[in-house]
Amino acid sequence: MREFFKNIKRMEAEVMGINERNIDFIYQYNKRSDYKLADDKCLAKEIFSAHNIPCPTTYGVITHLSEIDLVWQSVQCHQKLVIKPAKGAGGKGIMILRKEKEQWFSGSAAVSVAQIYHHVANVLFGLYSFGDNDKAIIEEFISPHSFFGDIYADGVPDFRIILLEATPLMGMLRMPTSASDGKANLHQGGLGIGIDMENGLLKTAYNGKKYMSYHPDSLQQIEGRPIPYWDQLLRMSKDVAEVFPLRYLGVDLVIDQVKGPMIMEVNVRPGLGIQLANKSGLKSTLETIKTK
C-alpha cells in the first residue's frame, strides 16, 4: 500500500494535466493572436515556405464552392493526393486519394468525382472545423519511408515533438493500425510510441489500453528500432520553433521515401497523451526549461 501511494505522488509530481498545460504554458508562452498561424494550415505553410522548411507541396486551395471544379480539374495530372481541411484537427476530414485507370480510390473503395466534390463542400461548410467556414487544401501525398512499412504498411505515420523555447522536450511516433483506418491519431485508434530523444530509438507502443513492444496487426517488433534521419528531424523541429511566433508548441513531422523529413503541421495545443506513450511526465521537464 505504501508503494501504491508513493507511485501516486510520483505521478502527481511528473504528469502535467490539461489545465496546467493551458494556464502555465499555452496562455503564458503563446499570444492568442498567433494561434491562427497554427490552426490554419495554409498560414502555417506560408511560414514554412518563407523559411525554406520542407513541407508537402500544395496543389490547390479551395475557398468557395464555385472554385471546386476549376481547382479539381487542375490537379488531374497527379496520381495520388490528399484533401484536408485547413482548420481541421485530429485527422478529421482528411481524404487520401489515388488514381488507377482514371478511377479515384480512397483506400480500397472507388469514389466518384461527385463524392469528392461533396467531401470538399463539407470541408468548406466547416463540418470538420468546429462549425467555422473553412478552406480545402489539396496537397502532395507523402509516401512513407520504408522504415514505417517494415513495421506496418498502411497509412501515414508521423512524429510529434513538443518544444518550449525551441528546446525539444518529448517526442512520440504516431502509428496507424487497422482500428484507426490508416489514421495516425491516438484517439482514432492509432498507436503512441515513445521515443528515446537522446539516442533516437523507439520505445514501447501504447494503444490506449496497454503497452506492447510490437505492432498489434503486423506483430513486427517496435521497441529498440533506430529512427532514420533522427538528428535531422530534431533540427527541423527546432527550425520551425525558431521561426514560428509560438514559444510552446507541438511540431508534426513525416519522412517521405524520396524527399526525406518534412513538416506536416504545427499544433498550439499538443495533446498530453505523449506522456502515456513515453511513460513519463512533462511537468518536471517543462519546469526545468522554464526556470533557465
Side-chain angles (χ1 to χ4, degrees):
M1 185 61 76
R2 178 180 296 177
E3 189 63 25
F4 172 77
F5 285 112
K6 188 177 177 180
N7 286 335
I8 292 292
K9 285 187 177 179
R10 181 182 61 81
M11 290 175 62
E12 287 179 344
E14 293 182 357
V15 176
M16 184 166 68
I18 193 165
N19 288 333
E20 288 173 292
R21 180 200 65 175
N22 292 344
I23 296 170
D24 294 342
F25 293 94
I26 294 178
Y27 300 157
Q28 185 173 338
Y29 285 92
N30 300 332
K31 292 180 182 176
R32 183 171 288 275
S33 58
D34 292 330
Y35 290 9
K36 61 184 178 184
L37 299 175
D39 291 341
D40 187 328
K41 296 176 180 61
C42 289
L43 297 178
K45 292 182 86 169
E46 288 178 9
I47 295 176
F48 303 152
S49 298
H51 294 87
N52 297 316
I53 297 172
C55 63
T57 302
T58 299
Y59 296 150
V61 177
I62 302 170
T63 56
H64 301 288
L65 290 173
S66 60
E67 299 171 350
I68 295 177
D69 188 59
L70 182 64
V71 176
W72 179 248
Q73 294 306 321
S74 73
V75 302
Q76 293 307 300
C77 55
H78 302 288
Q79 300 302 305
K80 289 184 177 180
L81 49 80
V82 178
I83 299 174
K84 61 170 62 171
K87 299 177 185 175
K92 295 178 181 176
I94 294 177
M95 176 180 271
I96 299 173
L97 295 170
R98 60 183 169 79
K99 189 162 59 175
E100 293 181 11
K101 299 179 181 177
E102 302 306 313
Q103 172 66 56
W104 287 100
F105 290 85
S106 176
S108 59
V111 290
S112 66
V113 172
Q115 288 174 307
I116 295 170
Y117 284 16
H118 182 73
H119 179 76
V120 173
N122 282 335
V123 170
L124 299 181
F125 292 145
L127 187 64
Y128 311 107
S129 313
F130 309 107
D132 297 326
N133 290 338
D134 202 352
K135 294 169 283 190
I137 303 174
I138 303 179
E139 69 179 21
E140 172 185 13
F141 172 79
I142 299 299
S143 296
H145 189 276
S146 57
F147 165 77
F148 304 111
D150 290 343
I151 300 174
Y152 183 66
D154 294 338
V156 180
D158 65 12
F159 294 97
R160 161 72 55 84
I161 297 177
I162 293 181
L163 304 98
L164 177 66
E165 304 284 22
T167 300
L169 305 175
M170 190 173 282
M172 70 173 168
L173 169 62
R174 302 188 300 181
M175 173 71 71
T177 65
S178 59
S180 71
D181 192 27
K183 306 258 186 346
N185 305 77
L186 303 190
H187 62 275
Q188 294 198 28
L191 294 177
I193 303 170
I195 294 177
D196 176 341
M197 298 287 282
E198 184 175 350
N199 298 303
L201 299 173
L202 294 182
K203 300 197 288 192
T204 53
Y206 182 64
N207 68 355
K209 297 178 182 176
K210 63 179 181 180
Y211 291 93
M212 56 196 79
S213 61
Y214 55 88
H215 194 284
D217 299 313
S218 68
L219 303 183
Q220 291 297 314
Q221 182 72 19
I222 290 174
E223 188 174 8
R225 283 184 184 255
I227 301 169
Y229 300 103
W230 178 242
D231 289 343
Q232 195 172 335
L233 288 165
L234 271 182
R235 180 65 255 171
M236 198 174 285
S237 72
K238 293 179 187 176
D239 289 343
V240 171
E242 286 170 356
V243 301
F244 233 81
L246 302 173
R247 296 162 63 196
Y248 174 77
L249 73 167
V251 176
D252 294 347
L253 308 103
V254 294
I255 306 178
D256 182 80
Q257 178 67 20
V258 176
K259 295 184 175 180
M262 305 174 87
I263 297 294
M264 286 300 284
E265 62 184 66
V266 166
N267 198 310
V268 70
R269 312 170 194 81
L272 297 172
I274 195 171
Q275 299 176 109
L276 290 170
N278 281 279
K279 299 182 185 177
S280 178
L282 269 169
K283 190 188 292 185
S284 58
T285 305
L286 280 165
E287 288 298 337
T288 301
I289 301 296
K290 189 177 174 182
T291 54
K292 281 185 178 179

